[in-house]
Amino acid sequence: MKRHLLDAADLDRADATLVLDTAAQIDQALAGREVKKLPTLRGRTVVNLFYEDSTRTRISFELAAKRLSADVINFSAKGSSVSKGESLKDTALTLEAMGSDAIVVRHGASGAPHRLAHWVRGSVVNAGDGTHEHPTQALLDAYTIRHRLGRLDGVRVVIVGDVLHSRVARSNVWLLSTLGAQVTLVAPPTLLPVGVGSWPVEVSYDLDAVLPKADAVMMLRVQAERMNASFFPSAREYSRRYGLDAHRMAALSDDAIVMHPGPMNRGMEIAADVADSVRSTIVEQVGNGVSVRMAVLYLLLGGASS
Amino acid sequence: MTTLIKGARVLGGQSADLLLEDGRIAAVGQRLGVTGADVVDAGGLVALPGLVDLHTHLREPGREDAETVETGSRAAALGGYTAVHAMANTDPVADTAGVVEQVWRLGQEAGLVDVVPVGAVTVGLRGERLAELGAMADSAARVRVFSDDGHCVADPALMRRALEYVKAFDGVVAQHAEEPRLTVGAQMNEGDLSARLGLTGWPAAAEEAVIARDVLLAEHVGARLHVCHVSTAGSVEILRWAKSRGVQVTAEVTPHHLLLTEACAQSYDPVFKVNPPLRTDEDVQALRAGLADGTIDAVATDHAPHAVEDKESEWAQARPGMLGLEQALSVVVETLVEPGLLDWAGVADRMSVRPAAIGRLDGHGRPLAPGEPANLLLLDPAARAVVDPAALASRSRNSPYAGRELPGRVVATFLRGTATVRDGKAVR
Ligand SMILES: [Zn+2]
């Protein structure tokens, strides 16, 4: 593993597989244990540096670090010196001086973790940057698919929705194709990036045409503000053309799964009964997130030396 | 004050001596001799007319921590410039006779280059109503170039009025061509790479659409239009078409758009964030070709100094812009002279003669001939050096060429016969 986890695009097949295998080993090691804790990162300090609110991601990383016995500092940009105008660089140098071994950073600006990695000696883990990437989300999605379907090679994954603004979609595109899956993006053309033609994916505007061939369908969150900016005409039209409801789910093959990175807009991109069905992996994804993030922290901070 | 320059290759041609006397070129010839003259040995050096920049941000008044008229003038002299046009997006904005005269006086006091203020087209650069263009034209600063640079004059009716109005005093509107509705939140060139990097794209069409509109307006009203920092292959095509129709349009390209591509953005290092953004390799090739064949008239630096805190940040938060004055000639040598696209006469034309003509500057962009003002530079074309931002004269350090080796060194610059640069160092 490299020193930082900044992009899923950066992970080669061996490293990505190592993370997934390590997560699986951690799951096995902790299965049935009453105290879900390993001593691996005792004495190490992990800082959660969150410039954007994301309670679920922060808690997932916090839990992962604590289960590895690391000391965890939660540093929210709100109400801190950061909100008083302290620069990212000054914050980085402060955390460095406090002896942080890893900084988990969530930031609204694409590339902020790259800048941070430039300024600190410890490891940087990208917990979502702007509209760029969210690599641990892609790793947990891949882990979930492999766990449910038994493989990733040749698996047909359909990613539906606001690809243009989605760091989850970007990370999944790179990681899943690295791991041998076939990715199809489905969205209205306004929600696909101009450069999508150069990505290792197929693109469709027609959800019904691709569903029967899918092994996994990943629904992306669609924000209401996209409607106001005319990315599509109305929530109703979006939901009719690109939402996953029970009727569409019936077109899926018997063992296909339905995924969502959360938080969901029930009734918009995904119908409530679909989200709660046995095909849905949504709850499972959350649990797998902790295991995968443990694997990442372990490999970045402990794996090489132990 | 008499200076004798011995053995300079005038425009890269024959070696000749130049005698500078009373601010003018008194004689050009072989083995000139004069007693009591300050003698400059220019063996192996190329003599060019002093460069003229149509597009410089000097930041004074308002952001003297990033640059002042004096520090920017020194950077300009070191780059071989004898005149620079100071852009209007200062604080306060140069939209009145008072502000343009202030900038002009500061330039006179610094005395290193002629600082020629650009007047804002609209009050406060807000794009709503015309500034007092005539008052600025009539002021001591004699403003002839008007620009809201940093912003596009997006309203087509207002742009038409501006083009028409400045005809009264032979002015020109220099447009920052950027359709604002197509570049909301834009961070870099829109394309494959912006999609990968998750940075909002600035589509080439946002520039091209405005240029196309403006050349049609300029043609309709018979006015002079200048297009700032052209950055796309499509823009070059539109300009070529417009010129073939006889539209009075001129255009400039920056050194950085001639050398660098959007690939620089992969580092997320905001030193490479600029507006318009760095484009693709195809665009770079088209810009070089357009400059070589004269479709693009001039190289203009868009020298945009920024304080460290405005650049050492996340990409999205950083201000766009990069330094340009001190390396502009070197970049032109690298991208056009050495590949054989432009000879030294061509460099003089694109970096001095034509920009001076566009700005209606008397006394600059003149031939190196007896009787002409002694505004010139001496360049060592064989020298090569690695750019060290710490060594720059600009008050800011945001050079996109840091660590890059570039050819050509300005050895001396003369403003009306007085050296502003000698042995590669600013005289003051
Ligand atoms: Zn501009």
Side-chain angles (χ1 to χ4, degrees):
Chain A
M1 280 288 278
K2 295 178 179 169
R3 183 153 59 98
H4 309 292
L5 179 60
L6 302 175
D7 321 297
D10 242 17
L11 286 171
D12 60 22
R13 192 167 183 144
D15 277 346
T17 305
L18 178 64
V19 173
L20 302 188
D21 291 347
T22 305
Q25 284 166 16
I26 287 170
D27 270 348
Q28 275 173 16
L30 293 178
R33 279 220 215 175
E34 199 159 315
V35 179
K36 294 199 181 297
K37 205 156 179 171
L38 299 170
T40 320
L41 296 186
R42 187 169 291 152
R44 315 297 290 274
T45 302
V46 175
V47 177
N48 285 324
L49 176 59
F50 274 56
Y51 285 79
E52 277 186 349
D53 284 334
S54 174
T55 309
R56 50 168 63 212
T57 303
R58 185 182 56 71
I59 289 175
S60 181
F61 269 106
E62 183 173 354
L63 208 52
K66 284 183 169 165
R67 284 187 179 171
L68 292 167
S69 305
D71 295 324
V72 181
I73 297 167
N74 285 313
F75 195 96
S76 164
K78 275 193 182 162
S80 72
S81 55
V82 170
S83 59
K84 298 184 189 94
E86 185 175 85
S87 73
L88 180 64
K89 184 175 184 182
D90 288 338
T91 303
L93 297 179
T94 302
L95 298 176
E96 177 94 338
M98 289 174 177
S100 67
D101 297 293
I103 300 174
V104 175
V105 59
R106 160 70 66 106
H107 201 292
S110 298
H114 287 74
R115 297 304 294 155
L116 201 63
H118 194 69
W119 295 319
V120 298
R121 283 188 300 271
S123 294
V124 174
V125 180
N126 181 359
D129 63 327
T131 52
H132 175 226
E133 283 226 30
H134 192 359
T136 58
Q137 176 72 41
L139 285 162
L140 79 85
D141 290 337
Y143 184 82
T144 304
I145 295 170
R146 195 175 78 166
H147 188 75
R148 273 281 190 117
L149 302 179
R151 68 198 165 96
L152 281 161
D153 211 28
V155 167
R156 289 164 298 192
V157 182
V158 176
I159 301 176
V160 188
D162 186 0
V163 176
L164 180 63
H165 301 96
S166 174
R167 52 197 173 205
V168 173
R170 275 175 183 66
S171 287
N172 266 297
V173 163
W174 307 127
L175 184 75
L176 289 171
S177 59
T178 297
L179 291 169
Q182 295 169 23
V183 179
T184 302
L185 300 176
V186 181
T190 47
L191 291 176
L192 289 164
V194 158
V196 75
S198 69
W199 292 8
V201 297
E202 284 182 32
V203 173
S204 171
Y205 309 136
D206 184 351
L207 182 55
D208 292 309
V210 303
L211 281 180
K213 288 171 276 180
D215 298 309
V217 183
M218 190 182 296
M219 305 306 294
L220 301 172
R221 178 181 171 82
V222 176
Q223 288 173 335
E225 69 209 59
R226 307 297 175 220
M227 194 171 73
N228 302 329
S230 286
F231 284 98
F232 48 87
S234 71
R236 189 170 64 172
E237 174 157 326
Y238 181 88
S239 186
R240 282 189 183 161
R241 290 176 68 88
Y242 297 101
L244 191 61
D245 57 11
H247 179 72
R248 283 211 166 100
M249 192 168 67
L252 290 171
S253 69
D254 287 344
D255 48 3
I257 57 172
V258 173
M259 311 177 75
H260 195 297
M264 290 176 278
N265 296 305
R266 287 175 185 256
M268 174 71 170
E269 71 266 5
I270 191 164
D273 47 353
V274 175
D276 299 331
S277 77
V278 289
R279 287 169 182 276
S280 162
T281 63
I282 295 167
V283 176
E284 202 176 320
Q285 284 168 267
V286 175
N288 290 341
V290 179
S291 311
V292 162
R293 286 166 182 137
M294 286 176 77
V296 167
L297 291 172
Y298 168 77
L299 290 168
L300 292 180
L301 291 181
S305 57
S306 61
Chain B
M1 175 96 178
T2 305
T3 304
L4 181 62
I5 298 168
K6 299 286 289 180
R9 295 164 53 210
V10 177
L11 300 185
Q14 288 299 307
S15 159
D17 300 346
L18 296 115
L19 183 65
L20 316 184
E21 224 166 35
D22 300 326
R24 297 201 166 260
I25 299 172
V28 179
Q30 304 299 319
R31 283 184 286 281
L32 297 180
V34 65
T35 49
D38 180 15
V39 177
V40 179
D41 176 11
L45 305 184
V46 172
L48 296 172
L51 308 182
V52 176
D53 195 13
L54 280 165
H55 195 144
T56 310
H57 297 275
L58 292 177
R59 303 295 184 219
E60 188 176 11
R63 282 306 299 265
E64 291 82 357
D65 59 324
E67 195 81 287
T68 64
V69 170
E70 190 190 350
T71 59
S73 290
R74 191 171 297 119
L78 284 162
Y81 286 88
T82 51
V84 299
H85 287 78
M87 273 298 167
N89 63 338
T90 47
D91 182 16
V93 170
D95 59 0
T96 63
V99 179
V100 294
E101 286 192 350
Q102 181 196 356
V103 172
W104 176 76
R105 287 220 167 77
L106 288 166
Q108 296 267 300
E109 283 163 23
L112 291 157
V113 291
D114 285 344
V115 173
V116 187
V118 172
V121 177
T122 68
V123 175
L125 309 174
R126 283 193 292 275
E128 290 162 1
R129 56 198 179 85
L130 292 181
E132 289 191 347
L133 307 173
M136 291 188 273
D138 293 342
S139 75
R142 291 189 72 258
V143 175
R144 289 296 176 273
V145 182
F146 297 89
S147 182
D148 274 2
D149 182 57
H151 304 269
C152 182
V153 181
D155 177 342
L158 193 62
M159 184 62 185
R160 172 197 172 148
R161 296 293 176 236
L163 286 166
E164 288 177 310
Y165 193 82
V166 301
K167 284 163 65 175
F169 31 86
D170 198 20
V172 61
V173 178
Q175 176 72 294
H176 170 121
E178 173 184 358
E179 168 47 53
R181 290 287 298 135
L182 289 173
T183 56
V184 175
Q187 300 290 332
M188 65 171 292
N189 181 47
E190 183 171 80
D192 297 1
L193 190 61
S194 65
R196 278 174 180 257
L197 295 177
L199 294 171
T200 305
W202 198 131
E207 174 174 306
E208 294 154 5
V210 170
I211 297 176
R213 180 199 77 176
D214 286 354
V215 295
L216 294 174
L217 289 173
E219 179 176 47
H220 182 61
V221 302
R224 284 210 290 147
L225 167 71
H226 178 71
V227 185
C228 294
H229 41 52
V230 166
S231 71
T232 79
S235 297
V236 178
E237 282 306 304
I238 293 163
L239 288 165
R240 199 168 275 135
W241 171 82
K243 287 191 166 186
S244 75
R245 285 170 69 92
V247 179
Q248 295 181 72
V249 59
T250 55
E252 67 187 36
V253 61
T254 72
H256 49 268
H257 286 111
L258 289 169
L259 180 65
L260 306 174
T261 68
E262 62 172 4
C264 294
Q266 287 183 82
S267 64
Y268 289 105
D269 182 345
V271 77
F272 298 112
K273 181 174 169 180
V274 66
N275 188 16
L278 300 174
R279 303 287 189 183
T280 67
D281 190 53
E282 284 154 36
D283 294 309
V284 168
Q285 299 308 324
L287 292 167
R288 290 180 186 181
L291 187 70
D293 72 17
T295 302
I296 298 172
D297 299 81
V299 175
T301 65
D302 196 4
H303 177 80
H306 286 298
V308 172
E309 65 270 20
D310 292 327
K311 274 294 191 184
E312 213 163 57
S313 66
E314 302 85 317
W315 181 280
Q317 271 86 328
R319 292 187 185 228
M322 33 181 77
L323 299 183
L325 285 169
E326 290 172 75
Q327 273 70 47
L329 185 51
S330 289
V331 171
V332 170
V333 172
E334 164 112 349
T335 57
L336 286 125
V337 179
E338 291 189 343
L341 290 167
L342 213 56
D343 60 13
W344 293 109
V347 173
D349 183 66
R350 307 299 195 275
M351 296 187 80
S352 179
V353 178
R354 288 215 224 179
I358 293 164
R360 297 293 193 254
L361 294 189
D362 305 328
H364 291 276
R366 304 292 307 165
L368 295 177
E372 296 288 353
N375 296 322
L376 67 147
L377 72 99
L378 300 174
L379 178 81
D380 179 358
R384 295 189 73 87
V386 174
V387 178
D388 173 12
L392 297 176
S394 173
R395 187 162 277 186
S396 292
R397 295 288 167 261
N398 53 309
S399 171
Y401 312 117
R404 186 184 280 263
E405 189 184 275
L406 290 173
R409 172 172 178 264
V410 175
V411 175
T413 308
F414 293 90
L415 176 65
R416 283 181 289 280
T418 303
T420 54
V421 173
R422 278 292 288 274
D423 299 325
K425 294 187 180 62
V427 169
R428 282 194 288 155

